[in-house]
Amino acid sequence: MFWTKVKRDFKRNWTAYVFAIPVIAYYLIFCYKPMVGVVIAFKDFRPAIGIWESEWVGLQHFKDYISSFYFWRLIKNTLRISITNLIVGFPAPIIFALLVNEVRNNKFKKTIQTISYLPHFVSMVVICGLVKLFVGQGGLITQFFTLFGRPDSPMLADPNLFVPIHVLSGVWASIGWGSILYLSALSGINEELYEAAEIDGANRWKQTIHVTLPGISTTIITKLLLDAGHMLSVGYEKIILLYNEKIYETADVISSFTYRRGLLDFQWSFSTAVGLFNSVINFILIIVFNKISKKVSEVGLW
């Protein structure tokens, strides 16, 4: 019966199935097939003899990682950046979208949106190069803070300033692109709700609180759940482009540590174990946050 329905549906919608083949192939080849390599985390992998012939060591790499000197420092640094980004970076596109939505001049509105989108299309290498230029010795931002008594020295040499620089530069680079999702959600709010609120005497601020934010609350919660589920997945690209040995104390995170151990020190099994540990924790986090969200707001990913 099941296969009969499948065959009938295939005959009716065969073009959709054909177009789906490249997508399915992409995920099978580039997403699911590489997952077989996770077994490296449980072996002493040696490229000369291959994955399956390498010695099986079980959970030894996980034990070495958890008991290492770097473990708690990496967890602390990763959570510090992720939580700071959630507090500062997550609401930034929402606020920007609300402000852009209030602009009535369409030409000015499109200009602001275009300018804000541009950093998203610029290479991360270029973005980090600009950040280093601005916060380096003699840089524009460094010179500005000298007016308040700070010495003219590279700001990225100060461990305490790495997280603010990382998060704020990320907000600058992604605020415009991130606002597209919320602008789309804002366009779906029924205009009659604003008219009814205005008749009831609500000003623009109250309309935002009681009409706009509830109207996009599902989008906000869904995006928050996805971001919260990746709290231990701070990307290594921007980290390694900005940090240096002087600020490892606060700048080194799980992904950058994995990069150094795997690609620079050739400890493939250890770095795979660290990455797998990270993925498992993220998976648990997203399940926990999803359950909490469903109990509190009845909105969840599933």
Side-chain angles (χ1 to χ4, degrees):
M1 189 67 177
F2 172 76
W3 290 109
T4 303
K5 290 182 178 180
V6 171
K7 289 179 181 179
R8 189 184 303 118
D9 186 68
F10 180 81
K11 290 181 180 179
R12 187 184 301 116
N13 303 301
W14 67 271
T15 53
Y17 284 94
V18 171
F19 280 111
I21 290 175
V23 178
I24 296 172
Y26 170 83
Y27 280 100
L28 289 176
I29 296 171
F30 297 104
C31 296
Y32 288 98
K33 183 182 176 182
M35 289 176 67
V36 177
V38 168
V39 73
I40 295 175
F42 305 95
K43 293 197 169 193
D44 184 14
F45 174 64
R46 297 182 182 181
I49 60 177
I51 296 177
W52 308 114
E53 299 299 326
S54 297
E55 181 185 357
W56 183 273
V57 296
L59 300 176
Q60 185 59 47
H61 297 303
F62 296 92
K63 294 177 182 177
D64 292 342
Y65 173 56
I66 294 173
S67 62
S68 69
F69 166 78
Y70 301 102
F71 178 72
W72 289 112
R73 188 182 78 175
L74 295 172
I75 295 292
K76 181 180 67 175
N77 291 345
T78 304
L79 287 176
R80 181 187 291 121
I81 292 176
S82 294
I83 293 173
T84 305
N85 193 53
L86 277 178
I87 295 173
V88 178
F90 179 77
I94 301 174
I95 296 172
F96 182 74
L98 292 174
L99 292 174
V100 170
N101 192 56
E102 293 297 320
V103 177
R104 294 293 172 259
N105 187 317
N106 287 331
K107 187 176 181 179
F108 179 71
K109 183 177 182 178
K110 291 179 180 179
T111 302
I112 293 297
Q113 286 180 278
T114 302
I115 294 173
S116 67
Y117 298 161
L118 288 177
H120 174 78
F121 299 99
V122 178
S123 168
M124 182 60 69
V125 176
V126 176
I127 293 290
C128 292
L130 291 173
V131 171
K132 283 187 172 182
L133 182 66
F134 291 151
V135 301
Q137 187 170 2
L140 179 65
I141 297 176
T142 306
Q143 289 295 314
F144 173 76
F145 281 103
T146 58
L147 301 175
F148 302 95
R150 190 185 184 280
D152 185 12
S153 59
M155 298 177 71
L156 280 174
D158 186 345
N160 296 321
L161 294 179
F162 178 80
V163 174
I165 291 172
H166 183 279
V167 172
L168 292 176
S169 61
V171 171
W172 164 64
S174 63
I175 188 172
W177 187 257
S179 67
I180 294 177
L181 178 65
Y182 301 107
L183 286 170
S184 177
L186 287 169
S187 65
I189 299 177
N190 193 337
E191 290 294 331
E192 293 181 358
L193 296 176
Y194 291 105
E195 295 174 3
E198 189 173 358
I199 292 173
D200 290 339
N203 54 28
R204 293 304 299 176
W205 172 250
K206 289 185 177 180
Q207 289 178 35
T208 300
I209 298 297
H210 299 290
V211 178
T212 306
L213 289 179
I216 62 173
S217 60
T218 301
T219 304
I220 294 174
I221 293 172
T222 302
K223 185 66 167 62
L224 180 60
L225 286 173
L226 291 172
D227 289 354
H230 292 83
M231 291 186 69
L232 294 182
S233 296
V234 176
Y236 70 90
E237 299 92 344
K238 189 176 180 181
I239 297 289
I240 63 176
L241 288 170
L242 290 179
Y243 77 172
N244 54 73
E245 293 182 358
K246 295 181 180 179
I247 57 174
Y248 276 176
E249 178 186 347
T250 58
D252 198 20
V253 297
I254 295 173
S255 58
S256 60
F257 178 76
T258 305
Y259 164 80
R260 289 202 314 276
R261 284 297 185 94
L263 296 181
L264 302 183
D265 297 340
F266 306 109
Q267 297 181 19
W268 297 287
S269 293
F270 183 83
S271 61
T272 303
V274 175
L276 180 58
F277 174 85
N278 192 30
S279 299
V280 171
I281 297 300
N282 282 331
F283 182 69
I284 294 172
L285 283 175
I286 199 168
I287 291 176
V288 171
F289 285 127
N290 186 69
K291 286 186 176 181
I292 294 174
S293 175
K294 290 187 75 172
K295 286 184 178 181
V296 174
S297 62
E298 296 184 356
V299 176
L301 297 176
W302 62 83

